[in-house]
Amino acid sequence: AERMSVALDARRESLALGAGRPPSPAWQLAARTPVVRLPRGSLVDLALANGLGIPVALSGRGVVAPAPLLVQAPVGPGGRTAIAAAAARAGTGLLDLRLLADGAAAPIRPLPLIVDEAAAVTTDRDEVFLVEDFRLKADGTALAPGTEAKDAELLYTVNGQLQPDIPLRAQARVRLRFINGCQRAVIAIKIADIDAVRVMAIDSQPAEPFLARNGAVVLPPGGRTDVFIDMPAARATLPVLLHDGAAARPIARLTLSTEPPLRAAPLPPPDALPSNGLPDKLDL
């Protein structure tokens, strides 16, 4: 198996959460790239450096499994550690530092991680869609999770941006990797004005492809759902809406790029993603 090293930094950063607002302090689990990608079957050495003022412990959701907290000692402020892990299964995952986040002075942002399938998957685009929530005080500073929010303004970002446009070519088959990076909220994400949003994987595991009801998927905190869409040529914009149980709000737009269509007609419905080797049924 291929052996890889991934450098991870727990560090302070600033995040722009709206025009006219000063950047807000945030804590970030960061790597050399915004999304870590690994081949399936690789062995991984995670080198974690803690630049924060509290102890941290790395936890993984889905596809790369660091040693659990009972084995992995917390890393103190200024400390470093190396953690052996394995990318045994393909899919969309997440690394974060929220396990010991009580007492954090700022929101802690997670790091998306993708383990690529060994066999090729036919898509024209592969986009991570990381949703995070922030509660802002009147001065524009984001509150740490667990802090009394009172009249704080609630904002959702996609890949760290407020309501970004994601340009796509007509008739492109797009894999959207929805990740709920919110601190505590269960959310529903809906792609409006499109007939077919096909769910292909849930929490890093391939699913028998099915159409999402009303084009919407529900994700718990840390949940991941991979969907395929074919960008229609007849729509200039597809709004992406988020519902958190209180209200529906726009969080992004899939827009039609100015490039020519990729093909004359949509592709046929996709086959299931390659198996991760788990049993189809559990004998209960």
Side-chain angles (χ1 to χ4, degrees), residues 57-131:
L58 187 68
S59 60
R61 296 180 183 268
V63 291
V64 169
L69 186 60
L70 292 175
V71 178
Q72 172 197 334
V75 182
R80 294 175 177 270
T81 192
I83 303 166
R89 300 187 181 103
T92 303
L94 200 64
L95 295 173
D96 70 43
L97 300 172
R98 296 172 182 171
L99 199 58
L100 302 178
D102 289 349
I108 299 179
R109 304 189 62 212
L111 176 65
L113 184 146
I114 294 171
V115 178
D116 288 313
E117 290 85 2
V121 175
T122 303
T123 57
D124 301 304
R125 288 278 294 274
D126 188 327
E127 292 285 336
V128 167
F129 199 99
L130 172 64
V131 179

Side-chain angles (χ1 to χ4, degrees), residues 66-253:
L69 186 60
L70 292 175
V71 178
Q72 172 197 334
V75 182
R80 294 175 177 270
T81 192
I83 303 166
R89 300 187 181 103
T92 303
L94 200 64
L95 295 173
D96 70 43
L97 300 172
R98 296 172 182 171
L99 199 58
L100 302 178
D102 289 349
I108 299 179
R109 304 189 62 212
L111 176 65
L113 184 146
I114 294 171
V115 178
D116 288 313
E117 290 85 2
V121 175
T122 303
T123 57
D124 301 304
R125 288 278 294 274
D126 188 327
E127 292 285 336
V128 167
F129 199 99
L130 172 64
V131 179
E132 298 171 84
D133 58 348
F134 296 92
R135 287 162 176 80
L136 302 187
K137 297 188 293 186
D139 63 1
T141 302
L143 293 166
T147 307
E148 177 59 49
K150 294 184 179 178
D151 298 325
E153 179 185 359
L154 175 60
L155 293 179
Y156 291 94
T157 62
V158 173
N159 301 333
Q161 302 176 56
L162 288 171
Q163 299 191 35
D165 285 349
I166 301 173
L168 303 172
R169 291 177 68 175
Q171 307 295 10
R173 173 153 292 173
V174 185
R175 181 176 187 166
L176 292 171
R177 300 175 184 260
F178 290 138
I179 302 174
N180 182 356
C182 298
Q183 306 286 339
R184 291 171 172 79
V186 176
I187 59 173
I189 301 175
K190 175 183 174 67
I191 303 177
D193 302 332
I194 189 171
D195 295 329
V197 176
R198 287 185 173 85
V199 175
M200 303 296 294
I202 300 172
D203 291 343
S204 309
Q205 294 304 327
E208 183 177 341
F210 65 93
L211 293 179
R213 181 180 294 180
N214 298 322
V217 296
V218 178
L219 299 106
R224 292 93 56 211
T225 296
D226 291 24
V227 304
F228 281 13
I229 66 165
D230 294 315
M231 186 65 183
R235 296 277 184 180
T237 301
L238 299 178
V240 184
L241 308 175
L242 179 146
H243 204 298
D244 58 6
R249 65 185 77 205
I251 57 168
R253 299 190 309 170

